Amino acid sequence: MTDYKLLINGKLVAGASTMDVINPATEEVLAKCPRADKNQLNEAVAAAKAAFPAWSRKTVKERGEILMKLSQAIQAKAEELGRLLTEEQGKPLPAAIGECHGAAGMLAYYAGQELKDKVLKEDDKVKIIQQFAPLGVVAAITPWNFPLLLLMLKVGPALLAGNTVVCKPAPTTPLTTLKFGEIAKDIVPPGVINTIADQNDLGSALTSHPDVRKVAFTGSTATGKKVMESVSSTLKRLTLELGGNDAAIVLDDVDVKDVAPKVFNGATMNSGQVCLAIKRLYVHESQYDQMCDELAKCAKAAIVDDGMKQGTQMGPLNNKQQYEKALGYLDDAKKNGKVVAGGDKMSRKGYFIPPTIVRDIPDTARLVQEEQFSPILPVLKYKDVNDAIKRANDTQYGLGGTVWSKNTDRALEVARQIESGTVWVNKHLDLPADIPFGGAKQSGLGKEMGREGLEEYTQSKIINMAKA
Ligand code: NAD
């Protein structure tokens, strides 16, 4: 897996120029990646547009069969793709291979879905049908934390519904997407899937392109707002999966020793670069000291290293920009709170940040207010659970959240009051393919996954017939 090409109109092509992709564990150049220019972007959209009529005329079953082949091909190459994913993204190899299996599983799920017409009403006088028509060309834009899985959340439903796609990964993790394009080349008709790579410079040309009918975007809230603006002139359909600052609320009845490692994993998985990671932790004053101590133990025991090394639990952050941002949060933590584990820059090459636990930090600190997207967890004390709920909701974000308690009725009562798209109780990051997922407030718009995630790629159309 050393040669990389864009996929445009069924052909693997070189980019107009190239760009370096850096291995975040070594800071060395991993690969020269083709970089598309605006002409290639236009060619990719034109190819997708030209492929749309024939692809959309196939039956859902036919498209499902092709999607299943794509799923199987990814499954067969999961180890190879996983290694590449670790090298470009940084996550530990087992997690990277797991992401590839997850990506294949997502395609397999959509391959088995149906899009039958729904009869909404029928009597002697009338029959009203709801039909789900494809939209046309979909732009699938992804971030760098789960490049392959997040792409399949878009490609699966888009293709099954009869659309064609142009995929655009983030500039620091384009390689697995380009390899996906190579795999797709031999399975889908030319133009149905196209891949381009850029240096963060083609996004707006793609989202504002008049021939793109829907934008499916995952990334930061700031970029999501720009995307929303750019689709407004053509009123494109839009799904936005954006940032989060998810709170975990631990009720005062838990077994701290049991919950602490689960919360720690929820906060530090993928080195904290998860939109739905636990980013703020609220703990009752009666268990606060014990929870901080247990979390510190977990942090001190975690193995932080190159994701390629066996036994690594946490790899580096994905890129220099994110790394420097995280160093800023470490400074903030030291200034405003008390660091009980981690906290210092690691003296080695690579964008490594140690898992860090911060206590006695005010709600006004940057680490609490902003999305840190790194393994630095602020632990906040509360007396009254209503106060914890209020503080948890005091944010522009509303992606996820967790509640921990031995009493599920109490936990449910709290979960109901969290303003977010998903709340887990006594677990975290369980995302079944058939359950819709999406953000509240400024964490997103629309849904991915499940039936709702499929309908987002269709135009609902009502046919209202008078009976003779
Ligand atoms: P980002 O917003 O910087 O970039 C995301 C993608 O948008 C990249 O492909 C980038 O090249 C592209 N882009 C940049 N400028 C653009 C523009 N003007 N128009 C269109 N596209 C443009 O995000 P990131 O730093 O790569 O990812 C991290 C963010 O993603 C975090 O905020 C995280 O919470 C969020 N995220 C959300 C979810 C979710 O499902 N809600 C999942 C994963 C990540």
Side-chain angles (χ1 to χ4, degrees):
M1 289 210 171
T2 51
D3 187 28
Y4 302 94
K5 292 275 189 327
L6 311 174
L7 178 67
I8 299 177
N9 201 18
K11 292 194 183 67
L12 294 173
V13 297
S17 59
T18 61
M19 58 188 192
D20 290 343
V21 176
I22 307 292
N23 179 334
T26 61
E27 296 180 53
E28 279 162 16
V29 176
L30 167 65
K32 290 258 173 232
C33 173
R35 177 178 174 188
D37 64 5
K38 219 161 165 191
N39 285 338
Q40 288 182 306
L41 163 72
N42 289 334
E43 281 166 25
V45 174
K49 188 181 179 190
F52 175 69
W55 180 251
S56 60
R57 270 197 304 273
K58 285 187 189 293
T59 63
V60 172
K61 190 164 174 284
E62 284 168 335
R63 293 195 293 263
E65 283 164 7
I66 295 174
L67 265 188
M68 189 50 97
K69 281 190 195 151
L70 209 45
S71 164
Q72 287 161 348
I74 292 174
Q75 192 82 29
K77 283 192 180 262
E79 299 252 336
E80 208 180 332
L81 281 167
R83 264 191 293 282
L84 182 62
L85 185 54
T86 292
E87 286 175 330
E88 71 170 347
Q89 202 283 330
K91 64 186 66 186
L93 184 58
I97 294 173
E99 179 175 339
C100 299
H101 286 301
M106 195 57 67
L107 289 186
Y109 164 72
Y110 277 109
Q113 297 307 297
E114 291 181 337
L115 260 182
K116 286 190 181 139
D117 294 354
K118 278 187 197 162
V119 179
L120 299 183
K121 198 184 219 181
E122 182 161 24
D123 57 27
D124 328 337
K125 295 199 177 95
V126 71
K127 184 172 184 181
I128 304 178
I129 297 168
Q130 186 181 23
Q131 201 195 355
F132 299 92
L135 297 166
V137 179
V138 170
I141 302 179
T142 42
W144 42 258
N145 57 345
F146 292 91
L148 202 61
L149 180 63
L150 296 175
L151 181 62
M152 295 316 135
L153 258 58
K154 298 167 175 46
V155 168
L159 257 53
L160 188 84
N163 306 284
T164 54
V165 292
V166 177
C167 311
K168 196 209 80 59
T172 55
T173 54
L175 304 177
T176 38
T177 298
L178 298 186
K179 284 293 156 190
F180 165 69
E182 261 181 51
I183 293 170
K185 173 185 147 314
D186 298 325
I187 297 173
V188 301
V192 169
I193 294 176
N194 304 273
T195 59
I196 56 165
D198 74 337
Q199 194 66 274
N200 264 343
D201 56 334
L202 291 179
S204 68
L206 182 58
T207 56
S208 59
H209 197 295
D211 290 334
V212 169
R213 298 292 307 278
K214 176 184 167 101
V215 176
F217 174 86
T218 301
S220 62
T221 294
T223 311
K225 287 179 186 177
K226 287 187 200 158
V227 171
M228 195 162 179
E229 253 182 71
S230 83
V231 304
S232 68
S233 61
T234 45
L235 278 184
K236 292 179 175 63
R237 300 301 174 259
L238 180 64
T239 310
L240 295 174
E241 294 291 358
L242 307 177
N245 191 7
D246 295 358
I249 300 180
V250 181
L251 302 191
D252 59 5
D253 60 5
V254 300
D255 174 348
V256 173
K257 274 187 184 300
D258 174 53
V259 169
K262 294 175 187 162
V263 166
F264 180 76
N265 286 339
T268 60
M269 187 199 160
N270 209 30
S271 300
Q273 304 162 111
V274 181
C275 53
L276 286 154
I278 294 173
K279 290 174 182 146
R280 297 174 287 154
L281 178 63
Y282 293 88
V283 183
H284 189 259
E285 58 180 3
S286 62
Q287 297 185 316
Y288 186 77
D289 290 340
Q290 195 195 356
M291 180 62 84
C292 291
D293 291 348
E294 289 299 322
L295 288 169
K297 273 190 217 162
C298 297
K300 286 173 186 162
I303 301 169
V304 183
D305 210 332
D306 188 326
M308 281 303 208
K309 277 203 192 143
Q310 205 174 359
T312 294
Q313 282 167 265
M314 286 172 52
L317 297 190
N318 171 253
N319 56 72
K320 192 159 186 223
Q321 198 186 357
Q322 186 58 37
Y323 174 67
E324 280 168 358
K325 222 171 129 189
L327 291 179
Y329 287 121
L330 287 184
D331 283 348
D332 179 66
K334 282 186 213 157
K335 230 178 273 159
N336 292 303
K338 190 170 159 205
V339 174
V340 290
D344 292 316
K345 201 171 164 173
M346 293 175 81
S347 52
R348 58 173 293 170
K349 259 196 164 287
Y351 306 134
F352 292 95
I353 293 285
T356 298
I357 306 298
V358 188
R359 57 171 289 168
D360 304 320
I361 185 163
D363 284 8
T364 48
R366 275 184 59 215
L367 180 64
V368 182
Q369 294 280 317
E370 297 174 15
E371 184 186 34
Q372 66 271 47
F373 226 56
S374 51
I376 311 169
L377 181 66
V379 191
L380 305 139
K381 196 188 285 182
Y382 74 83
K383 211 180 195 148
D384 171 2
V385 73
N386 291 318
D387 173 53
I389 296 167
K390 198 166 153 230
R391 288 157 70 196
N393 286 336
D394 185 17
T395 167
Q396 61 170 3
Y397 293 115
L399 196 55
T402 51
V403 185
W404 305 82
S405 171
K406 278 189 178 155
N407 181 333
T408 44
D409 290 339
R410 273 185 84 201
L412 182 59
E413 193 43 43
V414 175
R416 284 189 197 284
Q417 296 175 70
I418 306 285
E419 296 164 3
S420 70
T422 302
V423 185
W424 287 280
V425 172
N426 292 329
K427 60 174 169 176
H428 189 224
L429 280 176
D430 178 25
L431 288 165
D434 55 348
I435 302 299
F437 154 73
K441 302 202 277 192
Q442 293 189 29
S443 284
L445 200 68
K447 291 279 188 283
E448 288 195 313
M449 310 209 296
R451 169 80 192 190
E452 279 182 62
L454 178 57
E455 288 185 14
E456 294 259 350
Y457 291 85
T458 66
Q459 176 62 51
S460 155
K461 186 169 135 192
I462 302 297
I463 303 175
N464 189 335
M465 293 184 288
K467 282 193 176 167

